[in-house]
Amino acid sequence: MPQALKPYKYQPLPDDQSIRLARRSLDNDTDTWSCQFQVAHLQNPPEYVALSYCWGDVTQRVPITCDDGTIMVTQSAAKMLEAICRGPVPFWVDSVCINQQDFLERNQQVALMADVYGKAALVIVWLGPDPNRDADILLGSFKDLVERIALLHAMGGKITFLERDSVNLHWTAPNGQAMVSPLPSSLVLPDESERKRLARFFTLPWFSRTWVLQEVGLAAQTNVIWGGLAMDWNAIGFTALFLVRYAKPLLDRLDLASAVQNVRQIYTTFSPFTPRDTFLQLLNNTRELKATDPRDKIYAFLSHPTACTISMSGTLPPNTDAYKDYMDLIIQLLPHMQDQYLVKQLVARKKPTAAIEAKQLEPLIKADYRKPVSEVYRDVALEHIKRTISLDMLSAVQHDCKADSQLPCPSWVPQWNMCNGTQALGFATSNHFASANRDAVVTPSVQCDLNTLIVRGHIVSKVTYASSLCRPSSFDWQSLPDGELYTSSNAVKDTWLRTKLYDLAAQGTKYARTVLMMTTNGLAILGPESDISTAYLRTWVAGKGRSEVDAFDFENDANAYWDRIWTTSSEGASAPSEDTLMRAERFRASAAAVASQRKFFGLKKGLFGLGPGAMRTGDWVAVLLGADVPFVLREVGGEQREAGDPFPDDVKFQLVGECYVDGLMTGGAVKGVYVKRDIVLV
């Protein structure tokens, strides 16, 4: 019986550009999987394979043998090594090749992740075992979808929409003729067994990991292994892109919207297909992904060029050829024509400007596993505010929507390991400019109190009413069962009746569409009026007007939806036309996306809006310089204050979240007046 080995003692790496590679030992005489280390320099590494997998339960570990000692790895890692690493080619895997007990080495190796995965000859993704043998069937469905869309594209067709019920694909031929084509039923109209198969795949643990975005996003070539079958990563990514773009209602019904969106995010984040995304958008878009260490919600993206450049406009990743066989098809699935144009221009230029530009700048923060999570998140927020001279970062704040929950301190720092599914309204790419595009004015806090943020702005009015919490199904035609937190019927219809806005509309009351300016004493000077029902419906979609993404047309789509929710249950009502149903569905989908996990609210001055799920009656709405949207604030210890009462000099506020207030979104609150109020956020 072989003698038990001692724990492996890692030797320090010779310099900050060196990594360890492992090569399987074929002559070991132990019962454990065995390998040998070799040190490689990233400037001229040998050919190697980098592995991407899900760590699994970190409390359940098994030994593997390395040189003259043992390393404890998770059971998931051990199974992957046994299944994949069988030949002589050296490989790199984080749990083995990095000394996980050495914080300084972890800090240094995290900074090399872009090169580790980018210079690998191959990245192998291990999805784990496939006990139901789903892989072959699903891969066939994915390829079938790709082939059908490729044929449509080759014919010069343009996709218009996917029917919600029959899920037939409507498209327009080059001569303008309207066409309808079926799609693989196993994907768009699955029966129960097919639905379970889709769920088993899209909810695999690997698709929920934060680190995998860079691991496959930087790869020159990727192989995905599920069970014993290799799957086409581009076909998987294409399917996720298509379903998110055209089949969102289907994904909602299958309870797979979040899971498929995660796959889409993994596929696109480091790709050429997000040319206008910023680092802030990257962090926000990946909130649902998991990380064993919450600090990795930041550190996992430090190799992304936007960690240095903030904005990714005009950049192209160096591994663009990895997408070449799917490039033209995927460009057609991008939601914005501007994105399609930019990607085409960047690909034609074939210049990987991202890596060049990023290396000239320092990232927002450097990985340091000695820092507590709260300090990492706060430092990223402060540095982003400093570099951008904006408060866009505050739009990423999300809090627990439960009414009795306490806000964290500091409340203005986004908790990146927390996600309630709210769509951000106020990033740089939004169409709002509540502070009239004025730069943020931030008063530096003393060094010992970095948890306080002092900003400049106007406190507009007090919240007098807040609805119950909305979810996507709150905007369906049918009534919903009562719930503890959610509206008990269609939210638009229910709120219209509960707030008695219908009385105001019947009386001919108008809504002040624009706040022209705020006086120094906080009084609003109101501008042109609009129909109150129009302002009301505009609020539910946060001011969305026309959109190239889904052909949204506010006036027509809102009217179709309004008619639909009031006539659904009427006896003898004529069936709506296909065009009316399509328009009503567009409005429903837009409202469901914008208002999910939010509340409709009213202000003391008669304005109303859409705010965060954590807000409540008695909160305040403020416009802050450097932010494109207003915010809901909560006075610390001042719940009984009336709207007209002055604030004490030492007043402090918690930031509840961003909001939309019809009438405050075009800069009126800061026009024509010197904004001098400092607002202290804690």
Side-chain angles (χ1 to χ4, degrees):
M1 182 176 180
Q3 185 177 1
L5 297 176
K6 296 180 180 180
Y8 179 79
K9 184 177 181 180
Y10 285 90
Q11 298 301 312
L13 291 165
D15 56 59
D16 61 5
Q17 291 295 308
S18 293
I19 61 173
R20 298 183 189 88
L21 296 176
R23 188 190 304 268
R24 180 160 189 183
S25 300
L26 302 178
D27 58 350
N28 67 301
D29 58 354
T30 69
D31 295 331
T32 60
W33 188 91
S34 179
C35 69
Q36 295 177 326
F37 279 137
Q38 69 179 86
V39 175
H41 200 281
L42 282 173
Q43 285 188 352
N44 187 29
E47 186 174 277
Y48 66 94
V49 173
L51 304 181
S52 177
Y53 67 105
C54 184
W55 271 45
D57 188 349
V58 295
T59 65
Q60 301 294 318
R61 294 180 179 267
V62 295
I64 63 170
T65 303
C66 285
D67 294 328
D68 57 350
T70 60
I71 296 175
M72 302 301 291
V73 299
T74 63
Q75 292 181 351
S76 175
K79 291 178 180 178
M80 173 194 64
L81 293 171
E82 185 64 42
I84 295 177
C85 301
R86 298 177 178 177
V89 178
F91 63 88
W92 186 93
V93 56
D94 56 357
S95 60
V96 175
C97 297
I98 297 177
N99 183 358
Q100 298 293 328
Q101 307 306 314
D102 186 339
F103 285 155
L104 291 179
E105 180 173 303
R106 284 174 64 189
N107 295 345
Q108 179 265 327
Q109 290 284 287
V110 164
L112 300 179
M113 289 298 97
D115 287 335
V116 168
Y117 282 95
K119 294 188 175 184
L122 175 67
V123 172
I124 296 180
V125 174
W126 168 248
L127 295 180
D130 176 22
N132 296 287
R133 299 185 178 181
D134 294 327
D136 193 28
I137 299 173
L138 278 176
L139 182 59
S141 298
F142 296 160
K143 288 186 174 180
D144 188 7
L145 176 66
V146 172
E147 290 170 359
R148 296 188 192 211
I149 302 302
L151 178 60
L152 185 155
H153 178 66
M155 295 168 59
K158 182 178 180 181
I159 299 173
T160 51
F161 71 98
L162 188 69
E163 284 185 34
R164 185 178 184 187
D165 296 322
S166 69
V167 288
N168 285 325
L169 186 68
H170 289 244
W171 56 284
T172 305
N175 63 1
Q177 183 179 359
M179 308 291 288
V180 180
S181 299
L183 293 177
S185 60
S186 59
L187 287 180
V188 297
L189 200 62
D191 59 26
E192 183 61 19
S193 63
E194 291 166 337
R195 185 198 68 79
K196 290 180 179 179
R197 184 180 297 117
L198 288 171
R200 284 193 293 267
F201 177 73
F202 284 115
T203 59
L204 285 168
W206 186 85
F207 292 122
S208 67
R209 283 192 62 230
T210 297
W211 276 107
V212 304
L213 279 84
Q214 71 162 0
E215 292 167 2
V216 295
L218 297 170
Q221 182 180 352
T222 301
N223 282 356
V224 178
I225 309 294
W226 190 21
L229 184 74
M231 304 181 72
D232 184 348
W233 173 234
N234 280 314
I236 295 170
F238 178 89
T239 299
L241 276 162
F242 180 87
L243 293 176
V244 170
R245 173 74 190 274
Y246 293 108
K248 187 65 165 56
L250 167 69
L251 297 178
D252 287 335
R253 293 200 300 272
L254 298 178
D255 197 25
L256 288 175
S258 177
V260 178
Q261 174 62 34
N262 284 346
V263 178
R264 180 194 184 280
Q265 202 64 47
I266 293 169
Y267 185 73
T268 60
T269 293
F270 281 80
S271 76
F273 307 123
T274 55
R276 295 186 298 152
D277 277 5
T278 65
F279 188 66
L280 179 55
Q281 288 171 309
L282 186 159
L283 294 179
N284 196 66
N285 292 341
T286 57
R287 296 182 87 131
E288 292 193 18
L289 299 176
K290 300 174 183 177
T292 303
D293 189 325
R295 290 167 290 199
D296 288 337
K297 297 293 290 184
I298 302 294
Y299 294 164
F301 301 115
L302 294 181
S303 59
H304 197 278
T306 60
C308 301
T309 63
I310 309 301
S311 172
M312 197 178 177
S313 179
T315 63
L316 186 69
N319 65 334
T320 300
D321 283 347
Y323 308 92
K324 62 182 180 181
D325 293 338
Y326 283 75
M327 184 67 70
D328 291 340
L329 289 180
I330 291 176
I331 288 175
Q332 302 305 312
L333 295 182
L334 299 183
H336 297 278
M337 292 185 66
Q338 186 176 355
D339 288 337
Q340 295 180 17
Y341 173 79
L342 285 173
V343 173
K344 289 178 182 178
Q345 293 298 309
L346 291 170
V347 172
R349 199 191 317 165
K350 292 184 179 180
K351 182 180 179 182
T353 57
I356 298 172
E357 188 177 348
K359 287 184 178 180
Q360 297 174 349
L361 300 169
E362 289 293 322
L364 282 172
I365 193 173
K366 292 185 177 181
D368 186 348
Y369 286 96
R370 296 169 298 181
K371 282 186 175 183
V373 176
S374 59
E375 187 175 333
V376 173
Y377 290 175
R378 184 201 64 199
D379 289 353
V380 167
L382 287 173
E383 184 63 21
H384 190 275
I385 292 170
K386 176 183 175 182
R387 290 199 191 186
T388 62
I389 323 176
S390 80
L391 299 182
D392 286 352
M393 178 64 69
L394 303 190
S395 281
V397 170
Q398 296 183 8
H399 296 308
D400 193 333
C401 295
K402 294 181 180 178
D404 58 349
S405 63
Q406 296 296 315
L407 301 184
C409 184
S411 61
W412 55 271
V413 174
Q415 303 300 306
W416 297 111
N417 56 341
M418 186 271 177
C419 177
N420 62 24
T422 305
Q423 184 183 98
L425 304 176
F427 289 162
T429 52
S430 77
N431 294 321
H432 307 305
F433 46 99
S435 66
N437 290 328
R438 292 169 68 172
D439 289 342
V441 178
V442 180
T443 301
S445 301
V446 294
Q447 189 65 31
C448 61
D449 189 22
L450 294 178
N451 288 335
T452 297
L453 184 69
I454 305 174
V455 297
R456 193 158 295 176
H458 263 311
I459 297 175
V460 178
S461 188
K462 191 172 187 178
V463 175
T464 58
Y465 164 82
S467 73
S468 53
L469 197 64
C470 295
R471 57 180 175 179
S473 56
S474 300
F475 302 92
D476 290 346
W477 327 128
Q478 302 86 2
S479 295
L480 300 169
D482 290 340
E484 181 182 350
L485 290 175
Y486 298 104
T487 53
S488 58
S489 64
N490 178 277
V492 178
K493 184 176 181 179
D494 181 72
T495 306
W496 180 255
L497 297 174
R498 287 178 182 269
T499 57
K500 296 187 177 181
L501 288 172
Y502 66 93
D503 278 345
L504 297 177
Q507 296 166 12
T509 303
K510 297 295 183 180
Y511 185 86
R513 181 174 182 178
T514 308
V515 175
L516 292 181
M517 62 181 292
M518 298 290 294
T519 62
T520 53
N521 63 359
L523 296 177
I525 298 177
L526 305 180
E529 297 177 327
S530 65
D531 182 80
I532 199 167
S533 62
T534 301
Y536 176 73
L537 289 170
R538 189 166 51 235
T539 296
W540 284 109
V541 293
K544 184 177 180 180
R546 289 181 178 269
S547 171
E548 65 185 43
V549 177
D550 54 7
F552 184 86
D553 177 350
F554 171 74
E555 182 176 357
N556 292 311
D557 293 357
N559 288 337
Y561 181 80
W562 190 248
D563 291 341
R564 179 72 169 150
I565 63 175
W566 291 106
T567 59
T568 297
S569 59
S570 300
E571 294 184 5
S574 59
S577 67
E578 182 177 313
D579 182 69
T580 298
L581 285 175
M582 179 183 68
R583 292 186 178 281
E585 168 57 26
R586 276 205 301 250
F587 188 91
R588 185 212 63 81
S590 295
V594 170
S596 179
Q597 301 298 306
R598 295 189 186 276
K599 295 178 179 178
F600 184 92
F601 67 89
L603 294 177
K604 191 81 172 177
K605 290 175 178 174
L607 303 174
F608 48 67
L610 200 61
M615 72 177 300
R616 63 194 185 200
T617 301
D619 289 338
W620 298 83
V621 167
V623 173
L624 308 179
L625 296 188
D628 289 331
V629 293
F631 289 90
V632 176
L633 308 181
R634 182 168 299 158
E635 184 182 356
V636 177
E639 288 79 2
Q640 303 303 317
R641 186 181 312 283
E642 293 299 324
D645 296 343
F647 291 102
D649 293 337
D650 60 349
V651 64
K652 296 179 180 179
F653 295 90
Q654 292 178 305
L655 190 137
V656 184
E658 62 172 2
C659 65
Y660 173 91
V661 179
D662 203 81
L664 284 181
M665 308 307 293
T666 56
V670 296
K671 288 179 181 176
V673 63
Y674 173 65
V675 181
K676 61 182 180 180
R677 177 187 288 278
D678 282 334
I679 298 175
V680 180
L681 302 177
V682 295

PDB file of all heavy atoms in Angstrom, residues 45-61:
ATOM      1  N   PRO A  45       4.532  31.255 -23.845  1.00  0.00           N
ATOM      2  CA  PRO A  45       4.122  30.015 -23.192  1.00  0.00           C
ATOM      3  C   PRO A  45       4.088  28.849 -24.176  1.00  0.00           C
ATOM      4  O   PRO A  45       3.951  29.044 -25.391  1.00  0.00           O
ATOM      5  CB  PRO A  45       2.708  30.338 -22.708  1.00  0.00           C
ATOM      6  CG  PRO A  45       2.188  31.300 -23.733  1.00  0.00           C
ATOM      7  CD  PRO A  45       3.380  32.125 -24.130  1.00  0.00           C
ATOM      8  N   PRO A  46       4.200  27.617 -23.674  1.00  0.00           N
ATOM      9  CA  PRO A  46       3.983  26.463 -24.537  1.00  0.00           C
ATOM     10  C   PRO A  46       2.493  26.338 -24.857  1.00  0.00           C
ATOM     11  O   PRO A  46       1.657  27.026 -24.277  1.00  0.00           O
ATOM     12  CB  PRO A  46       4.460  25.288 -23.675  1.00  0.00           C
ATOM     13  CG  PRO A  46       4.205  25.745 -22.272  1.00  0.00           C
ATOM     14  CD  PRO A  46       4.473  27.222 -22.279  1.00  0.00           C
ATOM     15  N   GLU A  47       2.155  25.463 -25.776  1.00  0.00           N
ATOM     16  CA  GLU A  47       0.744  25.233 -26.079  1.00  0.00           C
ATOM     17  C   GLU A  47       0.079  24.563 -24.881  1.00  0.00           C
ATOM     18  O   GLU A  47       0.575  23.558 -24.365  1.00  0.00           O
ATOM     19  CB  GLU A  47       0.616  24.354 -27.320  1.00  0.00           C
ATOM     20  CG  GLU A  47      -0.811  24.175 -27.786  1.00  0.00           C
ATOM     21  CD  GLU A  47      -0.900  23.419 -29.110  1.00  0.00           C
ATOM     22  OE1 GLU A  47      -0.743  24.059 -30.162  1.00  0.00           O
ATOM     23  OE2 GLU A  47      -1.114  22.189 -29.064  1.00  0.00           O
ATOM     24  N   TYR A  48      -1.033  25.131 -24.428  1.00  0.00           N
ATOM     25  CA  TYR A  48      -1.717  24.565 -23.262  1.00  0.00           C
ATOM     26  C   TYR A  48      -3.220  24.766 -23.403  1.00  0.00           C
ATOM     27  O   TYR A  48      -3.696  25.536 -24.235  1.00  0.00           O
ATOM     28  CB  TYR A  48      -1.217  25.200 -21.962  1.00  0.00           C
ATOM     29  CG  TYR A  48      -1.546  26.670 -21.792  1.00  0.00           C
ATOM     30  CD1 TYR A  48      -2.680  27.095 -21.094  1.00  0.00           C
ATOM     31  CD2 TYR A  48      -0.717  27.663 -22.330  1.00  0.00           C
ATOM     32  CE1 TYR A  48      -2.977  28.436 -20.941  1.00  0.00           C
ATOM     33  CE2 TYR A  48      -1.000  28.997 -22.190  1.00  0.00           C
ATOM     34  CZ  TYR A  48      -2.140  29.393 -21.491  1.00  0.00           C
ATOM     35  OH  TYR A  48      -2.434  30.718 -21.353  1.00  0.00           O
ATOM     36  N   VAL A  49      -3.959  24.056 -22.575  1.00  0.00           N
ATOM     37  CA  VAL A  49      -5.415  24.125 -22.537  1.00  0.00           C
ATOM     38  C   VAL A  49      -5.833  24.749 -21.210  1.00  0.00           C
ATOM     39  O   VAL A  49      -5.323  24.372 -20.146  1.00  0.00           O
ATOM     40  CB  VAL A  49      -6.042  22.720 -22.679  1.00  0.00           C
ATOM     41  CG1 VAL A  49      -7.548  22.779 -22.465  1.00  0.00           C
ATOM     42  CG2 VAL A  49      -5.717  22.121 -24.038  1.00  0.00           C
ATOM     43  N   ALA A  50      -6.739  25.723 -21.263  1.00  0.00           N
ATOM     44  CA  ALA A  50      -7.299  26.326 -20.042  1.00  0.00           C
ATOM     45  C   ALA A  50      -8.689  25.744 -19.800  1.00  0.00           C
ATOM     46  O   ALA A  50      -9.471  25.587 -20.747  1.00  0.00           O
ATOM     47  CB  ALA A  50      -7.361  27.843 -20.171  1.00  0.00           C
ATOM     48  N   LEU A  51      -8.995  25.423 -18.557  1.00  0.00           N
ATOM     49  CA  LEU A  51     -10.254  24.767 -18.212  1.00  0.00           C
ATOM     50  C   LEU A  51     -11.205  25.738 -17.526  1.00  0.00           C
ATOM     51  O   LEU A  51     -10.793  26.575 -16.711  1.00  0.00           O
ATOM     52  CB  LEU A  51      -9.994  23.571 -17.293  1.00  0.00           C
ATOM     53  CG  LEU A  51      -9.021  22.516 -17.821  1.00  0.00           C
ATOM     54  CD1 LEU A  51      -8.881  21.368 -16.824  1.00  0.00           C
ATOM     55  CD2 LEU A  51      -9.462  21.996 -19.175  1.00  0.00           C
ATOM     56  N   SER A  52     -12.486  25.626 -17.864  1.00  0.00           N
ATOM     57  CA  SER A  52     -13.547  26.439 -17.261  1.00  0.00           C
ATOM     58  C   SER A  52     -14.612  25.483 -16.742  1.00  0.00           C
ATOM     59  O   SER A  52     -15.105  24.626 -17.483  1.00  0.00           O
ATOM     60  CB  SER A  52     -14.146  27.391 -18.302  1.00  0.00           C
ATOM     61  OG  SER A  52     -15.218  28.136 -17.756  1.00  0.00           O
ATOM     62  N   TYR A  53     -14.976  25.637 -15.481  1.00  0.00           N
ATOM     63  CA  TYR A  53     -15.891  24.689 -14.850  1.00  0.00           C
ATOM     64  C   TYR A  53     -16.533  25.349 -13.644  1.00  0.00           C
ATOM     65  O   TYR A  53     -16.210  26.486 -13.281  1.00  0.00           O
ATOM     66  CB  TYR A  53     -15.123  23.437 -14.410  1.00  0.00           C
ATOM     67  CG  TYR A  53     -14.133  23.711 -13.288  1.00  0.00           C
ATOM     68  CD1 TYR A  53     -14.391  23.312 -11.984  1.00  0.00           C
ATOM     69  CD2 TYR A  53     -12.949  24.406 -13.541  1.00  0.00           C
ATOM     70  CE1 TYR A  53     -13.490  23.592 -10.960  1.00  0.00           C
ATOM     71  CE2 TYR A  53     -12.054  24.695 -12.535  1.00  0.00           C
ATOM     72  CZ  TYR A  53     -12.323  24.286 -11.239  1.00  0.00           C
ATOM     73  OH  TYR A  53     -11.437  24.582 -10.236  1.00  0.00           O
ATOM     74  N   CYS A  54     -17.442  24.659 -13.015  1.00  0.00           N
ATOM     75  CA  CYS A  54     -18.076  25.151 -11.789  1.00  0.00           C
ATOM     76  C   CYS A  54     -17.428  24.466 -10.592  1.00  0.00           C
ATOM     77  O   CYS A  54     -17.340  23.234 -10.547  1.00  0.00           O
ATOM     78  CB  CYS A  54     -19.576  24.852 -11.820  1.00  0.00           C
ATOM     79  SG  CYS A  54     -20.488  25.505 -10.413  1.00  0.00           S
ATOM     80  N   TRP A  55     -16.957  25.243  -9.647  1.00  0.00           N
ATOM     81  CA  TRP A  55     -16.261  24.692  -8.490  1.00  0.00           C
ATOM     82  C   TRP A  55     -17.121  23.689  -7.723  1.00  0.00           C
ATOM     83  O   TRP A  55     -16.642  22.708  -7.212  1.00  0.00           O
ATOM     84  CB  TRP A  55     -15.841  25.834  -7.550  1.00  0.00           C
ATOM     85  CG  TRP A  55     -14.504  26.405  -7.868  1.00  0.00           C
ATOM     86  CD1 TRP A  55     -14.035  26.740  -9.100  1.00  0.00           C
ATOM     87  CD2 TRP A  55     -13.457  26.710  -6.948  1.00  0.00           C
ATOM     88  NE1 TRP A  55     -12.765  27.248  -9.009  1.00  0.00           N
ATOM     89  CE2 TRP A  55     -12.384  27.252  -7.697  1.00  0.00           C
ATOM     90  CE3 TRP A  55     -13.317  26.609  -5.571  1.00  0.00           C
ATOM     91  CZ2 TRP A  55     -11.191  27.657  -7.111  1.00  0.00           C
ATOM     92  CZ3 TRP A  55     -12.132  27.029  -4.975  1.00  0.00           C
ATOM     93  CH2 TRP A  55     -11.083  27.542  -5.743  1.00  0.00           C
ATOM     94  N   GLY A  56     -18.419  23.987  -7.606  1.00  0.00           N
ATOM     95  CA  GLY A  56     -19.281  23.123  -6.806  1.00  0.00           C
ATOM     96  C   GLY A  56     -19.146  23.412  -5.319  1.00  0.00           C
ATOM     97  O   GLY A  56     -18.675  24.480  -4.910  1.00  0.00           O
ATOM     98  N   ASP A  57     -19.523  22.473  -4.504  1.00  0.00           N
ATOM     99  CA  ASP A  57     -19.519  22.626  -3.047  1.00  0.00           C
ATOM    100  C   ASP A  57     -18.085  22.676  -2.535  1.00  0.00           C
ATOM    101  O   ASP A  57     -17.346  21.682  -2.590  1.00  0.00           O
ATOM    102  CB  ASP A  57     -20.280  21.459  -2.408  1.00  0.00           C
ATOM    103  CG  ASP A  57     -20.487  21.656  -0.904  1.00  0.00           C
ATOM    104  OD1 ASP A  57     -19.878  22.579  -0.325  1.00  0.00           O
ATOM    105  OD2 ASP A  57     -21.263  20.881  -0.311  1.00  0.00           O
ATOM    106  N   VAL A  58     -17.672  23.841  -2.024  1.00  0.00           N
ATOM    107  CA  VAL A  58     -16.280  24.004  -1.582  1.00  0.00           C
ATOM    108  C   VAL A  58     -16.000  23.293  -0.265  1.00  0.00           C
ATOM    109  O   VAL A  58     -14.838  23.162   0.140  1.00  0.00           O
ATOM    110  CB  VAL A  58     -15.933  25.503  -1.444  1.00  0.00           C
ATOM    111  CG1 VAL A  58     -15.993  26.193  -2.791  1.00  0.00           C
ATOM    112  CG2 VAL A  58     -16.855  26.195  -0.439  1.00  0.00           C
ATOM    113  N   THR A  59     -17.050  22.816   0.405  1.00  0.00           N
ATOM    114  CA  THR A  59     -16.847  22.093   1.668  1.00  0.00           C
ATOM    115  C   THR A  59     -16.610  20.607   1.432  1.00  0.00           C
ATOM    116  O   THR A  59     -16.197  19.895   2.354  1.00  0.00           O
ATOM    117  CB  THR A  59     -18.054  22.272   2.604  1.00  0.00           C
ATOM    118  OG1 THR A  59     -19.212  21.658   2.009  1.00  0.00           O
ATOM    119  CG2 THR A  59     -18.337  23.745   2.849  1.00  0.00           C
ATOM    120  N   GLN A  60     -16.885  20.130   0.232  1.00  0.00           N
ATOM    121  CA  GLN A  60     -16.693  18.714  -0.103  1.00  0.00           C
ATOM    122  C   GLN A  60     -15.485  18.598  -1.025  1.00  0.00           C
ATOM    123  O   GLN A  60     -15.574  18.836  -2.218  1.00  0.00           O
ATOM    124  CB  GLN A  60     -17.949  18.155  -0.779  1.00  0.00           C
ATOM    125  CG  GLN A  60     -19.214  18.250   0.053  1.00  0.00           C
ATOM    126  CD  GLN A  60     -19.143  17.379   1.305  1.00  0.00           C
ATOM    127  OE1 GLN A  60     -18.674  16.235   1.257  1.00  0.00           O
ATOM    128  NE2 GLN A  60     -19.604  17.920   2.412  1.00  0.00           N
ATOM    129  N   ARG A  61     -14.346  18.233  -0.454  1.00  0.00           N
ATOM    130  CA  ARG A  61     -13.107  18.195  -1.223  1.00  0.00           C
ATOM    131  C   ARG A  61     -12.487  16.795  -1.211  1.00  0.00           C
ATOM    132  O   ARG A  61     -12.674  16.022  -0.266  1.00  0.00           O
ATOM    133  CB  ARG A  61     -12.100  19.217  -0.679  1.00  0.00           C
ATOM    134  CG  ARG A  61     -12.547  20.677  -0.870  1.00  0.00           C
ATOM    135  CD  ARG A  61     -11.522  21.649  -0.314  1.00  0.00           C
ATOM    136  NE  ARG A  61     -11.917  23.027  -0.502  1.00  0.00           N
ATOM    137  CZ  ARG A  61     -11.573  23.782  -1.545  1.00  0.00           C
ATOM    138  NH1 ARG A  61     -10.815  23.263  -2.503  1.00  0.00           N
ATOM    139  NH2 ARG A  61     -11.963  25.024  -1.640  1.00  0.00           N
TER     140      ARG A  61
END
